[in-house]
Amino acid sequence: MATWANLGLQDSSFPLMEQLNFFHDHTLLILTMITILVGYIMGMLMFNKFTNRYLLHGQTIEIIWTVLPAIILMFIAFPSLRLLYLMDEINTPSITLKSIGHQWYWSYEYSDFLNLEFDSYMIPTNELEMNGFRLLDVDNRIVLPMNNQIRILVTATDVLHSWTVPSLGVKVDATPGRLNQINFLINRPGLFFGQCSEICGANHSFMPIVIE
């Protein structure tokens, strides 16, 4: 979960989320280098007094500053596309969970078992225990196995919701009349917190997700 004054991404609990973290750092480094270079050139233009009376065109430099950005964009595009296709890959799931968004709570169904379904509401602040997390803890947590491929089917009954758990790199829109699916694997034990990430009305902030 996010901690106090944490400006980075959450620690990953899913190999693909780890790859997303690396991709974020890779892209940020490229952006930092571009910003420094452009800032330096602009500073030089502002402060130096040199001029060239005979400079009409520079074929070589124009080729360089056209080709170089294209190469830099390829260094961003290829890793991005690789991750995009990896995240769309659906492996053979060991367990399937159906998540249904309501105003303003989630309900869950374990499709592999008969009659195993429950609603998950946020615990109000006045009922929270001392070790609970305000606005994040729920009365019924999802329990999922570690090191197993898990498939989540996400839909909604009323308005748009979004089922999101940042440390697993999972964000799926819950759309009424449509079933979206995503695949993930949890590679360490713990409690993983998430929230609805699509503005869905008055109590949008009060429908958290907890995976145990």
Side-chain angles (χ1 to χ4, degrees):
M1 65 180 292
T3 49
W4 176 252
N6 180 18
L7 298 177
L9 298 167
Q10 293 182 24
D11 291 341
S12 65
S13 306
F14 171 40
L16 272 181
M17 182 56 193
E18 208 167 318
Q19 292 293 316
L20 285 169
N21 272 337
F22 292 150
F23 176 65
H24 169 267
D25 296 344
H26 164 80
T27 311
L28 201 63
L29 189 66
I30 292 172
L31 289 176
T32 306
M33 290 192 300
I34 292 169
T35 308
I36 290 167
L37 178 68
V38 172
Y40 173 75
I41 292 168
M42 287 175 72
M44 292 301 288
L45 281 171
M46 302 276 277
F47 295 115
N48 79 28
K49 299 286 191 290
F50 299 122
T51 185
N52 186 336
R53 290 190 304 170
Y54 305 108
L55 186 67
L56 297 174
H57 61 84
Q59 199 75 47
T60 316
I61 191 71
E62 285 179 10
I63 290 169
I64 291 168
W65 73 41
T66 305
V67 171
L68 206 62
I71 294 168
I72 291 169
L73 282 175
M74 282 164 66
F75 272 97
I76 296 173
F78 287 134
S80 170
L81 287 170
R82 173 180 158 270
L83 270 174
L84 207 59
Y85 280 102
L86 278 172
M87 289 171 74
D88 259 355
E89 192 78 35
I90 297 293
N91 300 303
T92 310
S94 305
I95 188 166
T96 300
L97 175 71
K98 188 176 180 186
S99 169
I100 304 159
H102 306 266
Q103 285 182 311
W104 286 275
Y105 64 96
W106 296 98
S107 61
Y108 298 101
E109 298 171 11
Y110 285 84
S111 312
D112 304 292
F113 307 97
L114 291 173
N115 301 324
L116 183 47
E117 49 189 73
F118 57 89
D119 295 335
S120 179
Y121 288 88
M122 185 194 77
I123 301 173
T125 309
N126 58 344
E127 294 174 21
L128 205 60
E129 293 181 16
M130 286 298 288
N131 60 350
F133 294 108
R134 195 179 74 89
L135 303 185
L136 280 179
D137 255 324
V138 294
D139 54 0
N140 293 313
R141 293 170 175 168
I142 311 160
V143 178
L144 290 172
M146 205 177 92
N147 292 327
N148 279 284
Q149 288 293 341
I150 297 154
R151 176 174 59 178
I152 304 277
L153 301 173
V154 184
T155 187
T157 55
D158 35 45
V159 297
L160 289 175
H161 299 279
S162 184
W163 198 86
T164 305
V165 182
S167 60
L168 296 174
V170 172
K171 179 179 271 192
V172 198
D173 281 350
T175 312
R178 182 186 170 95
L179 208 58
N180 291 326
Q181 77 169 351
I182 199 159
N183 205 68
F184 63 84
L185 173 143
I186 303 168
N187 63 0
R188 61 188 179 131
L191 287 180
F192 306 109
F193 294 88
Q195 288 173 300
C196 176
S197 296
E198 186 74 63
I199 295 174
C200 56
N203 291 340
H204 159 66
S205 308
F206 310 116
M207 44 184 300
I209 299 151
V210 185
I211 298 176
E212 186 176 326

